[in-house]
Amino acid sequence: MAWFRTLTRMSATAKSWPPPLLPSPLRTVPTAPVASASLLLTSLRNFSTGTAASPAVEDRPPPHLSQSPTHCGDLGPTGGGEKPRVVVLGSGWAGCRLMKGIDTSIYDVVCVSPRNHMVFTPLLASTCVGTLEFRSVAEPVGRIQPAISREPGSYFFLSNCKGIDAKNHRVICETVTDGPNTPDPWKFNISYDKLVIALGAEALTFGIHGVKEHAIFLREVHHAQEIRRRLLLNLMLSDVPGTTEQEKSRLLHCVVVGGGPTGVEFSGELSDFIMRDVRQRHAHVKDYIRVTLIEANEILSSFDDRLRRYATRQLTKSGVHLVRGIVKDVEPDKIVLDNGTEVPYGLLVWSTGVGPSSLVKSLDLPKAPGGRIGIDEWLRVPNVPDVYAIGDCSGFVESTGKPVLPALAQVAERQGKYLAGLLNRIGKAGGGRANSGAEVDLGDPFVYKHLGSMATLGRYKALVDLRQSKVRTLLLSLFFSSLVELLTHSTNPCHLIGALIFRLLSNTGR
């Protein structure tokens, strides 16, 4: 029992330290360790308090939960004996692909993002109904680029970017805090040698009243969690005695606004969930639950016309009700279309495309058509040294003669890969420091080649649009859907090959 006595003495010592510095209701806050951490941060060469004559930590009033911690320092410019610093704003497809490819023997990497993981958005719809678990579509930033967790000069900051001081090579950030017993957010600055803006985009609402308050977007893991929670809650509530037929019908009406790939894929997943799970496990309400997909024009408008017709047939066959209309108003329990039709709902998912965020619009940087951050052929922001932009937040300026690329994952991924190689080339040539590298040969400019589009329809069916051969596009879509379905359910190779041939021959003439 010697270990127990030692543990008891350690516990008693811990209880007597630190001495209480705050009023009794706040004595649980570890003020002394915070002060020690502040002294440690102040002593680090990379950090500075921002003022030359700063009072000692002991002379400052003890921090209060409602006050911003003014003792936190900034991440100052890199010194001569340190590696150049690349600051990446965002942890989406573009930013994470860049961090994966950056040479950490040349650069220190600092990532600033309000989330510490990357989301594999094409599979996000599958998590809403339990086909996949949430952990299957999220990858921690520290695993994508291990140097952030290991190297002394590389960091991840759970913060939001609030502004960019390009003249002084500095980013203004604000911490992300949540919960009733957390300190208020505070601002700090990060100096950079190279800055990569990969802030992504935000969902478009077109200024329609009530969308942000009542609809759920499908862009983050917490959106998928909320959709699953709401869906299961409505199933439970609809089965409670005393629920009227009208209310039961409203609770179990799932409305999806937007007929793009995300809206179509979620509608297909939801239809699968209804057909395979709800009808078996919630037999009392199986005749009430339904899915409605609302689109102003054609669903999957960027796909080949034959693939759109095929998708329409498959969705209709699976029970999805397709409605063409424009949403004019969103209320807590119904939406109003442009023709005056009122559509009651229990779950409303909004997926009408993305556009530049308010932060991107507010940045004093050159802009591309549509409000994105303007870039040249090498993904540099024109007339702003050492600043690059990639992903959904960026677009070619008009002077390049190139169109603004679509907000797709494959665009962001390839831009991140290209820019990582470009920065590595600049760093190896000695141009990694701020205001250097102007004479470095940048090599070939970025060129995007579209590899095709894909959308799943549920029930192991999918579309692939390559736009190289119309017939091959249709055949490949049918082949792919058959392959996925049969590989999942069949272990007999002869059955697999025969069923594939039968599926192709029976569908080619449609």
Side-chain angles (χ1 to χ4, degrees):
M1 298 299 289
W3 62 271
F4 182 77
R5 290 191 296 270
T6 303
L7 181 63
T8 305
R9 288 195 298 268
M10 291 174 63
S11 177
T13 304
K15 290 180 179 179
S16 63
W17 179 264
L21 296 179
L22 297 177
S24 56
L26 301 175
R27 287 180 182 175
T28 57
V29 180
T31 56
V34 170
S36 301
S38 301
L39 290 173
L40 178 61
L41 291 177
T42 305
S43 66
L44 291 176
R45 180 170 54 181
N46 285 343
F47 290 81
S48 62
T49 58
T51 57
S54 174
V57 175
E58 291 81 357
D59 297 334
R60 297 175 183 173
H64 192 278
L65 286 179
S66 63
Q67 299 176 352
S68 297
T70 56
H71 56 270
C72 290
D74 298 336
L75 193 58
T78 55
E82 299 170 325
K83 292 182 287 187
R85 180 184 302 138
V86 175
V87 176
V88 183
L89 303 180
S91 57
W93 282 86
C96 286
R97 184 59 183 88
L98 177 131
M99 287 187 287
K100 179 181 179 181
I102 201 77
D103 189 347
T104 54
S105 66
I106 301 175
Y107 296 102
D108 283 330
V109 181
V110 175
C111 179
V112 178
S113 175
R115 69 180 189 196
N116 65 347
H117 58 275
M118 172 192 167
V119 179
F120 193 81
T121 46
L123 295 179
L124 198 57
S126 300
T127 64
C128 299
V129 295
T131 305
L132 294 175
E133 282 302 318
F134 301 112
R135 63 178 179 271
S136 302
V137 300
E139 186 73 7
V141 173
R143 189 176 297 172
I144 296 173
Q145 178 47 266
I148 289 179
S149 304
R150 296 197 304 244
E151 298 295 329
S154 297
Y155 306 93
F156 172 81
F157 295 133
L158 192 70
S159 305
N160 286 311
C161 173
K162 307 302 289 186
I164 297 174
D165 182 3
K167 181 179 179 180
N168 297 310
H169 280 63
R170 189 170 57 185
V171 179
I172 298 94
C173 304
E174 185 177 76
T175 59
V176 175
T177 57
D178 189 17
N181 296 320
T182 56
D184 292 339
W186 66 89
K187 292 185 177 181
F188 60 96
N189 301 321
I190 302 175
S191 297
Y192 63 84
D193 292 294
K194 307 294 180 186
L195 174 65
V196 180
I197 305 174
L199 293 170
E202 64 181 21
L204 290 175
T205 62
F206 305 101
I208 299 174
H209 172 264
V211 174
K212 292 184 178 180
E213 292 80 6
H214 308 300
I216 304 177
F217 305 103
L218 188 54
R219 294 183 54 79
E220 304 287 348
V221 172
H222 66 85
H223 293 152
Q225 291 173 331
E226 175 60 20
I227 291 173
R228 184 191 287 193
R229 186 196 69 82
R230 186 80 59 84
L231 183 61
L232 296 178
L233 177 63
N234 288 350
L235 282 169
M236 298 296 106
L237 291 177
S238 63
D239 211 15
V240 173
T243 305
T244 64
E245 297 291 314
Q246 182 179 2
E247 179 66 7
K248 187 178 298 186
S249 178
R250 183 192 70 82
L251 285 172
L252 297 180
H253 188 197
C254 305
V255 177
V256 182
V257 179
T262 301
V264 168
E265 289 177 348
F266 176 71
S267 299
E269 289 283 354
L270 198 54
S271 176
D272 273 2
F273 173 70
I274 294 172
M275 299 291 290
R276 296 176 181 271
D277 295 320
V278 174
R279 294 186 181 277
Q280 295 179 6
R281 302 180 183 181
H282 302 274
H284 298 108
V285 297
K286 65 179 182 179
D287 296 329
Y288 294 90
I289 188 166
R290 63 197 192 281
V291 182
T292 298
L293 175 61
I294 301 176
E295 168 57 39
N297 299 302
E298 295 284 343
I299 65 170
L300 301 175
S301 58
S302 62
F303 282 68
D304 179 80
D305 182 61
R306 287 176 295 176
L307 294 180
R308 290 202 302 269
R309 293 197 299 267
Y310 176 77
T312 300
R313 289 196 302 268
Q314 293 300 324
L315 289 175
T316 304
K317 183 188 292 186
S318 63
V320 178
H321 181 46
L322 301 179
V323 174
R324 181 174 293 187
I326 299 175
V327 177
K328 288 297 183 182
D329 187 45
V330 178
E331 299 181 12
D333 56 356
K334 66 181 179 181
I335 61 176
V336 182
L337 303 182
D338 55 344
N339 59 4
T341 304
E342 295 184 351
V343 182
Y345 68 86
L347 172 66
L348 177 60
V349 177
W350 194 270
S351 176
T352 57
V354 296
S357 64
S358 56
L359 172 61
V360 169
K361 294 178 181 178
S362 67
L363 294 176
D364 186 18
L365 297 173
K367 294 297 192 296
R372 299 187 188 185
I373 299 173
I375 54 175
D376 63 10
E377 296 93 332
W378 289 271
L379 310 184
R380 301 173 300 181
V381 178
N383 304 318
V384 185
D386 300 321
V387 178
Y388 305 81
I390 53 177
D392 297 350
C393 70
S394 65
F396 291 116
V397 293
E398 292 181 330
S399 60
T400 62
K402 295 185 176 183
V404 175
L405 297 176
L408 299 174
Q410 58 177 304
V411 176
E413 194 272 342
R414 245 170 295 166
Q415 285 183 333
K417 180 180 179 180
Y418 170 85
L419 186 55
L422 178 62
L423 291 177
N424 292 339
R425 177 198 295 263
I426 294 174
K428 291 176 182 178
R433 297 290 176 186
N435 298 313
S436 65
E439 304 300 326
V440 176
D441 179 21
L442 300 180
D444 296 331
F446 174 76
V447 177
Y448 172 71
K449 294 182 179 180
H450 189 63
L451 298 179
S453 302
M454 175 180 170
T456 60
L457 304 176
R459 300 184 65 84
Y460 307 104
K461 291 181 175 61
L463 305 177
V464 179
D465 189 353
L466 299 180
R467 291 298 176 92
Q468 295 177 356
S469 170
K470 300 289 186 180
V471 176
R472 186 173 65 178
T473 297
L474 182 62
L475 289 177
L476 182 58
S477 67
L478 297 170
F479 176 85
F480 181 83
S481 62
S482 303
L483 183 62
V484 173
E485 180 176 2
L486 294 171
L487 284 177
T488 305
H489 293 286
S490 176
T491 57
N492 189 332
C494 295
H495 176 224
L496 174 62
I497 296 173
L500 284 174
I501 296 174
F502 174 78
R503 180 72 64 83
L504 291 175
L505 293 176
S506 62
N507 286 280
T508 302
R510 290 189 178 183

